[in-house]
Amino acid sequence: MSKKEINPPIAERIAKKMEIHGDVRIDDYYWLNDRENPKVIDYLNAENAYYDSMTAHTKKFQEDLFEEMKSRIKEDDESVPYKKNGYYYITKYETGKQYPVYTRKKEKLEAEEEVIVDVNELAKGHDYYALTGLNVNRINTIAAFGIDTVSRRQYDIRFKNLENHELFPEVIENTTGSTAWANDHKTVFYARKDPVTLRSDKIYKHVLGTDVKDDVLIYEEKDETFWTFVYKSKSNRFIIIGSYSTLSTEYSYLDADNPEGEFKVIQPRVRELEYSVAHYGDDFYILTNYNKARNFKLMKTPIGRTEKEHWTDVIPHREDTLLEDISIFKDFLVLEERYNGLNRIRIKKWDGSDDYYLPFEEETYSASVYNNPEFDTNVIRYSYNSLTTPNSVIDFNVDDHSKEIKKEQEVLGGTFVKENYKSERIWAETRDGKHVAISLVYNKSTKINKDTPLLLYGYGSYGSIVSDRFSSVRLSLLDRGFVYAIAHVRGGEYLGRFWYEDGKMFSKMNTFYDFIDAGKHLIAQKYTSASHLYAEGGSAGGLLVGAVINMNPEIFNGIIAAVPFVDVVTTMLDESIPLTTGEFDEWGNPKQKDSYHYMKSYSPYDNVKKHDYPHMLVTTGLHDSQVQYFEPAKWVAKLRVNKTDQNLLFLYTNMETGHGGASGRFDALKEVARDYCFLFDLEGIGK
């Protein structure tokens, strides 16, 4: 890094005393949580200016990296068409444009193309623009979609007449962006958010052409730990309202032909009973953990007798196999499973004539059923890729077992050769005798030894699994001698539901221990050394890397923490902050003494201490709705006055965006180039 003496900004300290359970915490930087305060904006801008000054010598490299990564991406690209309700739907990208164009063709692919929505046109004049939930009614005349121009995931629903291509005047504000059309083709159901907590807590009904103020409240979720949503069954027969918390779910259904009717509850909520619902024939199919099925099983129940007492097994529970999802077709059932950490796709004919798994041969990979809206078909579409294999979209014929690769992701530039890269999966023993999988990928020309730079990525919360997926962007890292690794730590469901449960609540420390033990294993096996090992995590993964550098800072040379959740106790005590109330079953409720002390024991902000820390790049977005910008800002401010080293500490705040970063497909690459340059500079890699 530059040797030029530039002093970092030091945030003002204004002590705020916080006391609960007889325990006192002093937060010197609590004042940073007011984004309307000009002093807060000044501080964030000062941190950005410090970052810009300290990294000015890498600016040209960042620009070159951005162009390099962009050059691998096919700019004039389009999705594989899928057919729904008589139309082929295609998403297109055009050269030089940041956003997608949604189009369709009637009946056949040779038909004239019709533009449904050109997001590039809508996004003009906006620094951020996201469109979600595009949903056309069954008579193909009106499209509904949600738009967000701030990046707080508060979507305004708009409607477009696909016959005259004009927008309807009504705008439904502060929603999830998703809609469910009734079969009268003019009534839609949608979920609205609480304006403060951003919890989706109300389901409304809107009739096109009427004033939004007259929309009817259909359902209100009054339990603050639950969120609600609404969708239409694939069979088009039912509108279904769901409510979910970390440990419980509840669903209600309504005949889609009767939007004025009353919703009926399928199974009233019971704590620790989780289920989801699909419809087929005379039954609802229930994916559930009912009766201690920790890895979930598939059951069914007749419409009209839907309480759990009537549920019967279709696919029984298996201790070694996590049942992740199902897709129902007229003649067969598709099961998405996870066994020993790897995806499996199983095809089962309703008449019992066939039951088999699709063959996958790589050591580690990702595969998932993909965009299958048609009910009466003998073809399923799935996607397949691995750390070394670009993504493919494949159509598989369930009758003759033939497959057709509809599209393989192109990596432009002429230099990518799959055979030049190697991926592997190794297992690290943890301190309590478990084994955590580590997926690795690197260029075969890279010499693996103690001097090899290695970036270890982790998440480990909510049961979320970091898939072993291909990235053309990552090639810029691998081609400069880095190994990229993913630690599949507890808190995710990589090895099944128990793997998740053993990394949450009062077992949360296992997530951090697993990551540390994975890092130590990589060092012991001479894949790298502490001088060249780097850690990266975002959101709850930012909590992960923040916790481990308080515990074992000496095994990492640097970390990247993106939108990190680091002030765990304060955030979980503030029920006005988005997400908080729905998270109690993930982290605990600090209003309970035992939860408070356990969370405080690992919260990165509360455990900053006087010791040496690795080099750090911390990033956030001013409008983040999930991890508020002030968590990383406070964390960095506290680290600045406590760390005892001369290592780099940067806070970079995107003043225009939120949790997901930039909205344009190329703007997001600039953020990756920034992160990579941070690592390259530490390794003395300048081009």
Side-chain angles (χ1 to χ4, degrees):
M1 287 285 177
S2 170
K3 302 297 182 193
K4 184 180 176 184
E5 282 297 319
I6 304 170
N7 291 324
I10 302 297
E12 183 180 359
R13 299 174 75 165
I14 305 173
K16 180 178 174 64
K17 180 180 176 182
M18 294 184 288
E19 184 173 358
I20 187 173
H21 308 305
D23 185 62
V24 176
R25 291 180 303 137
I26 303 297
D27 189 345
D28 289 331
Y29 305 103
Y30 188 86
W31 65 274
L32 284 169
N33 75 347
D34 181 9
R35 71 161 60 80
E36 303 303 321
N37 182 348
K39 285 174 61 178
V40 172
I41 301 302
D42 288 346
Y43 171 69
L44 297 177
N45 283 327
E47 285 283 4
N48 282 357
Y50 175 67
Y51 166 81
D52 289 338
S53 297
M54 290 291 287
T55 61
H57 63 287
T58 71
K59 192 166 187 298
K60 174 68 164 58
F61 191 13
Q62 288 189 45
E63 292 168 354
D64 291 345
L65 266 180
F66 167 74
E67 293 297 337
E68 175 182 298
M69 292 186 285
K70 182 180 173 184
S71 72
R72 297 193 195 102
I73 297 171
K74 188 177 182 184
E75 290 200 47
D76 55 335
D77 202 6
E78 62 181 52
S79 64
V80 179
Y82 69 87
K83 195 171 186 184
K84 183 179 181 182
N85 212 18
Y87 278 83
Y88 283 98
Y89 287 86
I90 305 158
T91 303
K92 301 175 67 172
Y93 285 94
E94 297 173 350
T95 301
K97 294 186 177 179
Q98 292 267 26
Y99 297 100
V101 181
Y102 295 99
T103 70
R104 67 178 184 175
K105 295 180 178 182
K106 190 172 183 178
E107 295 297 347
K108 52 181 187 278
L109 289 170
E110 296 73 36
E112 184 178 351
E113 182 177 80
E114 175 190 349
V115 174
I116 305 171
V117 184
D118 183 344
V119 184
N120 299 285
E121 290 298 316
L122 295 177
K124 285 179 178 176
H126 295 281
D127 292 315
Y128 179 92
Y129 202 92
L131 184 146
T132 192
L134 183 64
N135 184 13
V136 178
N137 65 358
R138 281 190 77 200
I139 56 172
N140 299 308
T141 57
I142 302 166
F145 52 88
I147 56 172
D148 172 14
T149 59
V150 178
S151 188
R152 279 182 70 77
R153 303 185 185 182
Q154 292 171 282
Y155 293 92
D156 293 347
I157 292 174
R158 300 300 310 265
F159 301 92
K160 184 175 182 180
N161 186 321
L162 298 181
E163 295 174 314
N164 63 19
H165 300 287
E166 292 183 0
L167 288 171
F168 282 74
E170 57 251 54
V171 180
I172 307 175
E173 297 179 345
N174 192 29
T175 78
T176 63
S178 297
T179 52
W181 288 100
N183 289 344
D184 65 357
H185 319 304
K186 64 180 182 180
T187 301
V188 290
F189 295 84
Y190 64 91
R192 193 167 253 164
K193 294 187 168 188
D194 181 289
V196 176
T197 67
L198 303 191
R199 180 174 70 96
S200 53
D201 61 347
K202 296 181 178 72
I203 303 296
Y204 282 88
K205 178 172 65 177
H206 175 74
V207 179
L208 267 169
T210 65
D211 194 319
V212 172
K213 293 198 209 70
D214 297 329
D215 286 2
V216 179
L217 177 63
I218 298 296
Y219 174 75
E220 181 173 5
E221 180 50 74
K222 294 185 177 177
D223 186 329
E224 292 183 345
T225 67
F226 279 74
W227 298 50
T228 189
F229 58 97
V230 63
Y231 66 99
K232 194 175 190 180
S233 65
K234 184 175 175 179
S235 64
N236 290 308
R237 185 171 160 189
F238 296 108
I239 305 293
I240 298 175
I241 292 175
S243 286
Y244 69 96
S245 69
T246 304
L247 294 176
S248 307
T249 50
E250 180 179 86
Y251 288 83
S252 304
Y253 67 100
L254 172 71
D255 190 325
D257 289 334
N258 182 24
E260 300 301 313
E262 295 286 326
F263 280 83
K264 299 175 185 174
V265 175
I266 289 176
Q267 162 59 44
R269 66 191 63 177
V270 176
R271 185 166 173 80
E272 299 189 8
L273 173 63
E274 297 176 65
Y275 70 98
S276 58
V277 178
H279 166 246
Y280 175 64
D282 297 324
D283 299 296
F284 285 122
Y285 280 73
I286 312 285
L287 182 62
T288 181
N289 66 348
Y290 177 52
N291 205 8
K292 299 181 180 177
R294 282 213 301 182
N295 272 336
F296 287 76
K297 61 181 176 179
L298 184 63
M299 308 183 80
K300 71 175 182 177
T301 192
I303 297 167
R305 286 189 297 148
T306 58
E307 295 80 7
K308 64 181 186 296
E309 293 75 22
H310 304 293
W311 297 0
T312 57
D313 279 4
V314 177
I315 303 292
H317 177 251
R318 291 155 293 170
E319 284 292 336
D320 63 353
T321 303
L322 175 67
L323 182 54
E324 293 187 311
D325 204 358
I326 65 164
S327 298
I328 287 179
F329 296 84
K330 181 183 176 185
D331 295 323
F332 57 94
L333 172 68
V334 179
L335 305 165
E336 293 182 77
E337 303 175 350
R338 187 171 292 271
Y339 175 79
N340 196 33
L342 300 179
N343 299 119
R344 300 201 300 189
I345 297 177
R346 179 180 174 188
I347 315 292
K348 182 178 175 67
K349 292 280 187 74
W350 292 119
D351 65 8
S353 62
D354 233 344
D355 187 349
Y356 57 92
Y357 288 92
L358 299 186
F360 302 125
E361 293 161 5
E362 291 187 84
E363 184 174 350
T364 182
Y365 59 85
S366 292
S368 62
V369 175
Y370 172 83
N371 217 347
N372 289 274
E374 292 286 84
F375 179 67
D376 187 1
T377 178
N378 65 345
V379 173
I380 71 157
R381 178 165 292 173
Y382 69 95
S383 66
Y384 177 89
N385 72 119
S386 73
L387 291 167
T388 59
T389 304
N391 188 58
S392 292
V393 176
I394 300 165
D395 280 357
F396 181 83
N397 187 303
V398 300
D399 294 329
D400 63 18
H401 297 201
S402 63
K403 70 178 185 180
E404 179 186 0
I405 298 175
K406 303 297 289 185
K407 181 179 182 178
E408 182 172 289
Q409 176 188 349
E410 289 186 62
V411 181
L412 302 186
T415 60
F416 173 71
V417 179
K418 173 186 171 182
E419 288 70 29
N420 289 344
Y421 300 87
K422 176 177 171 61
S423 72
E424 56 182 303
R425 188 171 65 151
I426 62 175
W427 298 82
E429 185 169 356
T430 63
R431 62 195 69 190
D432 62 348
K434 301 288 196 302
H435 289 84
V436 62
I438 309 170
S439 303
L440 304 117
V441 60
Y442 49 90
N443 191 306
K444 285 183 178 177
S445 66
T446 297
K447 291 184 172 62
I448 304 297
N449 56 43
K450 64 182 178 58
D451 298 320
T452 307
L454 187 149
L455 178 59
L456 181 63
Y457 186 88
Y459 189 75
S461 294
Y462 306 108
S464 181
I465 297 163
V466 182
S467 299
D468 292 349
R469 300 184 63 85
F470 181 80
S471 166
S472 69
V473 172
R474 193 187 298 135
L475 297 175
S476 292
L477 198 67
L478 306 184
D479 290 347
R480 289 174 174 82
F482 264 78
V483 175
Y484 181 81
I486 302 166
H488 300 286
V489 296
R490 276 174 279 187
E493 287 186 338
Y494 188 78
L495 292 177
R497 188 71 172 183
F498 80 93
W499 200 243
Y500 165 47
E501 293 169 352
D502 206 19
K504 61 180 283 205
M505 295 292 284
F506 293 103
S507 298
K508 189 67 216 169
M509 292 294 280
N510 287 335
T511 301
F512 315 133
Y513 292 150
D514 283 359
F515 195 81
I516 292 165
D517 293 345
K520 288 181 175 179
H521 181 78
L522 290 165
I523 292 169
Q525 297 300 310
K526 293 187 169 50
Y527 280 90
T528 187
S529 62
S531 301
H532 301 282
L533 177 60
Y534 301 91
E536 181 181 12
S539 193
L543 161 65
L544 167 60
V545 297
V548 301
I549 60 168
N550 284 330
M551 297 173 179
N552 286 90
E554 74 284 353
I555 67 170
F556 301 99
N557 190 43
I559 71 154
I560 298 172
V563 293
F565 173 42
V566 285
D567 190 11
V568 182
V569 178
T570 306
T571 291
M572 295 303 295
L573 280 168
D574 186 350
E575 295 183 15
S576 72
I577 292 177
L579 300 186
T580 295
T581 56
E583 308 269 289
F584 290 152
D585 289 325
E586 179 72 28
W587 310 102
N589 184 346
K591 289 180 179 175
Q592 298 168 358
K593 188 174 182 179
D594 54 350
S595 289
Y596 170 84
H597 285 290
Y598 189 76
M599 294 160 79
K600 186 184 173 188
S601 75
Y602 65 74
S603 172
Y605 184 64
D606 290 294
N607 288 281
V608 169
K609 60 191 77 164
K610 296 281 185 186
H611 72 190
D612 288 0
Y613 281 91
H615 300 279
M616 297 174 61
L617 171 61
V618 182
T619 63
T620 188
L622 182 63
H623 300 289
D624 197 322
S625 62
Q626 291 192 261
V627 177
Q628 307 290 317
Y629 73 90
F630 47 80
E631 289 198 43
K634 288 166 53 176
W635 185 42
V636 169
K638 190 173 183 180
L639 283 163
R640 285 222 184 279
V641 296
N642 279 279
K643 72 191 194 78
T644 53
D645 56 81
Q646 298 300 309
N647 289 336
L648 297 164
L649 173 59
F650 296 138
L651 171 69
Y652 184 83
T653 304
N654 189 322
M655 305 301 279
E656 308 295 340
T657 69
H659 200 66
S663 58
R665 60 175 172 153
F666 299 127
D667 284 346
L669 297 180
K670 294 176 182 175
E671 298 175 350
V672 181
R674 174 199 64 207
D675 295 351
Y676 282 5
C677 267
F678 173 74
L679 299 174
F680 291 148
D681 208 30
L682 292 171
E683 285 292 321
I685 298 168
K687 62 179 182 177

